[in-house]
Structures are given as C-alpha cells and as structure tokens.
C-alpha cells in the first residue's frame, strides 16, 4: 500500500491533469456518500413518539397525518394554528383530489 501511495503521488506530481481527475472523483465520491446518508435518513421511519406527536398536531389542525408529514418534508417546518392560509390550501387540495376521484 505504501508503494501505491508513492506511485499515485509521483503520478500527481508529474501530471496536473491526473491530480484534477483525482480531485473530481474524490469530490464525486463525497457527494455520493452524503446523498446516500441523507437518503437513508429521509426514508427512516420516525419513532413512535414522533408519529404520535404528528398525529396529535395534525388532528388539532384538521389535517391527516399524511398531509401534516408531507408538509414537514416539503417545506421543512411544522405547521401551527397561525398557518391558517397554508392549512386552508391543504384542505382545498384535499377536496379537489376527492372530487377528481369520484
């Protein structure tokens, strides 16, 4: 492995293009690892306590659990009673979806 490092080092010193390619592949690999970690975290099921809290909040706002959770995922924040315009828009969209299915 030491010979490999020495060989890569010699190649990088001799060729700026090889160094650039190595940097690009390294950066791409780091982006891939970050995406993989974010993807796994995003699709991880929430804990029972989080689910119950979301269900309670959704019910108090007149939304379904799915609507409330989707709002968190899409907008990155929890809704509150002050978000009357957004809650009304979600409920209106629900009515439109129901009327299209009939």
């Amino acid at each position: 492995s030491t010979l490999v490092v020495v060989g890569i080092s010699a190649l990088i010193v001799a060729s700026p293009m090889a160094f650039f390619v190595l940097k690009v592949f390294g950066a791409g690999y780091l982006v891939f690892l970050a995406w993989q970690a974010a993807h796994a975290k995003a699709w991880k099921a929430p804990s029972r306590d989080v689910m119950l809290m979301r269900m309670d909040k959704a019910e108090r706002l007149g939304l379904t659990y799915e609507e409330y959770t989707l709002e968190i995922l899409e907008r990155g924040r929890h809704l509150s009673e002050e978000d009357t315009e957004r809650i009304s828009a979600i409920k209106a969209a629900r009515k439109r979806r129901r009327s299209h299915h009939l």
Side-chain angles (χ1 to χ4, degrees):
S1 70
T2 304
L3 291 176
V4 171
V5 172
V6 170
I8 290 175
S9 298
L11 179 63
I12 289 171
V13 168
S15 171
M17 185 63 169
F19 180 60
F20 175 75
V21 169
L22 185 63
K23 283 194 316 185
V24 169
F25 277 112
Y29 183 64
L30 289 176
V31 168
F32 169 74
L33 290 177
W35 177 86
Q36 210 173 25
H39 184 267
K41 187 175 181 181
W43 290 105
K44 182 180 148 193
S47 70
R48 181 180 185 278
D49 291 337
V50 169
M51 290 176 74
L52 291 173
M53 183 271 304
R54 286 181 186 171
M55 285 175 66
D56 181 56
K57 268 196 117 169
E59 193 172 295
R60 281 189 280 129
L61 297 172
L63 302 174
T64 66
Y65 173 82
E66 290 80 10
E67 290 168 337
Y68 185 80
T69 301
L70 186 60
E71 187 68 15
I72 294 169
L73 293 172
E74 286 182 345
R75 309 227 188 255
R77 66 181 202 86
H78 294 265
L79 290 171
S80 66
E81 287 80 11
E82 292 84 39
D83 296 313
T84 54
E85 286 183 30
R86 182 65 193 141
I87 293 167
S88 296
I90 293 169
K91 289 178 181 180
R94 180 194 317 153
K95 288 178 186 173
R96 285 193 303 273
R97 282 191 310 272
R98 284 185 181 162
S99 68
H100 286 302
H101 290 289
L102 298 178

